[in-house]
């Protein structure tokens, strides 16, 4: 790798490491920034994985998969920005979807139509339960802690050439924990520390609900 390429890789990795740490330890307080970003990448992943599962294409390996992934990513990001309940429901959905896909991956079942559909179905159930049980704050804490921790560890795996950026984007928690027992333990330790930090620093802090669609339409009407 050239000097310029190495420098670019270090800069990109440093940015990803910083962003992942912010998500892990400050996800709740910065939810209004993080949730739309989360929505975009969740939409990107589920769109690309949907094309992969239904049509047999590789992850983001065709123009169609890129179009489908980008469309869902923008849609999820926009909805997350406009509606707080959608943003939080998507985090719950991501957790449910990730558990299913990760579980089947651990037992050696590749991502196929059945696994993808089951993951989406469980994700919808998790999203609904998140709102019905009024556990939105804890879903945000757990979701951001786990995803941020996977991003931190995944960055080092990419730097050590044990993962590619594409693999990390495909399913960050799964590919990092699959890298080895020690890496999986490190993800768990960082996630627990991050969740404890978020819980301690937001004990008396309430997540502000928002509906920007109503705010914008009301402003326009007046």
């Amino acid at each position: 790798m050239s000097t310029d390429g190495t420098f670019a890789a270090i800069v990109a990795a440093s940015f990803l490491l910083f962003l992942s740490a912010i998500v892990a330890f400050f996800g709740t307080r910065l939810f209004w920034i993080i949730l739309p970003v989360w929505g975009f990448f969740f939409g990107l992943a589920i769109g690309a994985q949907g094309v992969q599962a239904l049509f047999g294409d590789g992850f983001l390996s065709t123009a169609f998969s890129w179009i489908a992934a980008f469309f869902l990513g923008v849609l999820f990001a926009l909805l997350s920005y406009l509606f707080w309940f959608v943003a939080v429901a998507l985090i719950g959905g991501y957790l449910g979807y990730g558990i299913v896909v990760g579980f089947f991956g651990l037992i050696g079942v590749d991502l196929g139509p059945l696994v993808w559909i089951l993951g989406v179905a469980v994700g919808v159930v998790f999203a609904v339960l998140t709102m019905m049980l009024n556990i939105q704050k804890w879903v945000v804490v757990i979701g951001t802690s786990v995803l941020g921790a996977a991003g931190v560890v995944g960055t080092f795996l990419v730097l050590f050439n044990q993962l590619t950026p594409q693999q990390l984007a495909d399913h960050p928690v799964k590919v990092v924990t699959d890298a080895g027992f020690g890496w999986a333990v490190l993800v768990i330790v960082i996630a627990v520390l991050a969740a404890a930090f978020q819980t301690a620093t937001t004990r008396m802090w309430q997540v502000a609900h928002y509906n920007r669609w109503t705010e914008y339409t009301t402003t326009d009407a007046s």
Side-chain angles (χ1 to χ4, degrees), residues 187-220:
V187 170
I188 294 173
V189 170
I190 294 175
V192 169
L193 290 175
F197 179 83
Q198 287 199 52
T199 300
T201 56
T202 62
R203 191 178 304 276
M204 304 301 295
W205 189 77
Q206 296 296 322
V207 177
H209 299 190
Y210 59 82
N211 184 334
R212 294 190 174 100
W213 175 265
T214 300
E215 294 173 8
Y216 294 153
T217 54
T218 302
T219 301
D220 292 340

Side-chain angles (χ1 to χ4, degrees), residues 4-190:
D4 291 341
T6 301
F7 178 75
I10 293 174
V11 171
S14 299
F15 176 75
L16 180 59
L17 184 64
F18 173 75
L19 181 62
S20 298
I22 290 295
V23 170
F25 288 90
F26 299 95
T28 305
R29 285 192 176 274
L30 298 178
F31 76 100
W32 58 279
I33 296 175
I34 291 173
L35 293 187
V37 176
W38 181 306
F40 175 77
F41 283 105
F42 180 33
L44 192 77
I46 199 172
Q49 289 174 358
V51 173
Q52 178 184 357
L54 299 176
F55 299 100
D57 297 331
F59 183 78
L60 293 177
S61 63
T62 64
F64 177 64
S65 66
W66 272 102
I67 292 171
F70 186 76
F71 173 78
L72 274 182
V74 172
L75 177 63
F76 282 14
L78 180 61
L79 291 175
S80 297
Y81 174 78
L82 291 175
F83 306 105
W84 169 84
F85 72 91
V86 173
V88 178
L90 284 176
I91 289 186
Y94 176 85
L95 291 176
Y97 176 81
I99 288 172
V100 171
V101 174
F103 170 76
F104 280 102
L106 288 174
I107 63 176
V109 179
D110 293 332
L111 179 67
L114 183 59
V115 173
W116 184 79
I117 292 172
L118 183 60
V120 171
V122 173
V124 170
V125 172
F126 268 58
V128 172
L129 290 177
T130 296
M131 306 308 296
M132 290 183 60
L133 299 178
N134 197 31
I135 55 174
Q136 298 93 331
K137 178 179 178 179
W138 300 114
V139 167
V140 173
V141 169
I142 294 171
T144 54
S145 297
V146 172
L147 186 64
V152 169
V153 177
T155 301
F156 287 105
L157 288 172
V158 171
L159 285 175
F160 296 153
N161 294 320
Q162 296 190 36
L163 281 181
T164 66
Q166 187 180 38
Q167 289 174 318
L168 186 61
D170 186 357
H171 198 309
V173 178
K174 178 183 179 301
V175 295
V176 170
T177 54
D178 283 352
F181 179 75
W183 295 110
V185 170
L186 185 58
V187 170
I188 294 173
V189 170
I190 294 175

